Amino acid sequence: MVNRLHESQNKGGINMLQNRIVLNTLVSQSDHNAGVAQPELVSNLLNTNVTNIELRREYGNQTLSELQKLSQIRADHRLTFFYSVPDNLFIDHKLNLHLLQYVAEAQLLGASYIKMTLGDFDHSDAHLVDSLLSLIPESIQLNIENDQSAANSDTKKLAAFFDQFNDRSRKIGFVNDIGNWIFTHQDAETSAQALLPYTRFVHLKSYLLDDKQQPATVSFTKGDLNWKRLLNLFDTTLPVALEYPADSQALVADLAVLKQF
């Protein structure tokens, strides 16, 4: 099981422990595009010996049979599931009406983590924080990610949201996708430093700029991002997920690089 909330900030470049590494099923994008269902994607990833899998909600059909099949795979192989939900937590300054559905799906999966984007949080309504915490079971950690939109990647807005939990025993954490900052014209290191106290999970990928200086997501080993410098900022117990399309050979090579970090 990946560690949950961390209060310590132990940093440094040591060989990455196997139980910190997470694979987002985006690494199997070509198989998904060819019609392979998410349970089979997860089964195929077992060959990597990575036991932490981040499921993409948009890769599934949310049927009871599929959710139960995935849960059985998790139980049989002692996996830890992260559940990536491509939706905002707040819509029209209110909690997303689908949140309970997402939580129910995560519970059926046996997922320990849910990831969403923030949306239009209204910090003036203090009751929203307590309402939110009442909807999230203690068995699940909710995290918020910076995406490739300016609205969901404003570091001051994100910090203001996380600060709402300063006097609560339970926190909402931050997923730092270090490869997304380039899409919102922000410096990855400056942004990481600003949100470091709230960070509970890292998405590792990089980017290359095309002839028009537009970024495209690539493996952390192939892009322009100084990923080692960035990873050294974070607590050495935080889970780190690979989230980019990769063929099996490239994925094995990238995992070998990461394990030696």
Side-chain angles (χ1 to χ4, degrees), residues 4-147:
R4 291 180 177 276
L5 296 179
H6 309 283
E7 299 302 328
S8 63
Q9 287 292 317
N10 301 315
K11 306 182 186 71
I14 59 174
N15 287 356
M16 184 165 289
L17 297 176
Q18 176 80 12
N19 68 353
R20 290 181 59 199
I21 299 174
V22 183
L23 291 180
N24 184 293
T25 51
L26 182 62
V27 299
S28 303
Q29 184 184 68
S30 61
D31 287 341
H32 165 72
N33 291 345
V36 178
Q38 191 151 226
E40 188 175 345
L41 298 181
V42 173
S43 295
N44 292 341
L45 290 174
L46 296 175
N47 294 328
T48 65
N49 294 319
V50 173
T51 58
N52 305 306
I53 303 295
E54 186 168 34
L55 304 170
R56 300 178 75 82
R57 186 175 190 271
E58 66 271 30
Y59 276 18
N61 57 26
Q62 292 81 54
T63 61
L64 182 60
S65 60
E66 182 176 272
L67 295 171
Q68 289 177 333
K69 187 173 183 179
L70 282 162
S71 182
Q72 190 62 55
I73 295 171
R74 175 193 55 78
D76 289 345
H77 298 278
R78 302 181 68 182
L79 305 177
T80 296
F81 277 171
F82 296 66
Y83 194 36
S84 174
V85 176
D87 202 358
N88 288 332
L89 181 60
F90 294 96
I91 296 177
D92 295 331
H93 307 289
K94 298 178 182 179
L95 282 170
N96 190 323
L97 294 176
H98 298 295
L99 180 59
L100 280 177
Q101 177 183 343
Y102 301 148
V103 169
E105 291 168 2
Q107 289 179 305
L108 284 169
L109 289 165
S112 302
Y113 306 84
I114 298 175
K115 176 182 69 66
M116 301 180 69
T117 45
L118 183 57
D120 48 6
F121 171 68
D122 184 355
H123 68 274
S124 66
D125 188 349
H127 296 295
L128 281 177
V129 170
D130 293 320
S131 297
L132 172 59
L133 290 176
S134 72
L135 297 175
I136 307 300
E138 294 201 9
S139 60
I140 293 176
Q141 181 188 115
L142 176 63
N143 294 310
I144 299 298
E145 180 188 37
N146 60 300
D147 61 13

Side-chain angles (χ1 to χ4, degrees), residues 149-163:
S149 71
N152 283 328
S153 302
D154 182 323
T155 57
K156 291 183 179 179
K157 177 182 174 182
L158 287 164
F161 170 70
F162 296 127
D163 282 342

Side-chain angles (χ1 to χ4, degrees), residues 178-180 188 204-207 220 223-228 230:
I178 66 174
N180 277 349
L204 179 59
K205 60 192 181 192
S206 190
Y207 64 87
F220 70 99
D224 294 333
L225 204 59
N226 189 338
W227 64 273
K228 291 183 179 179
L230 287 166

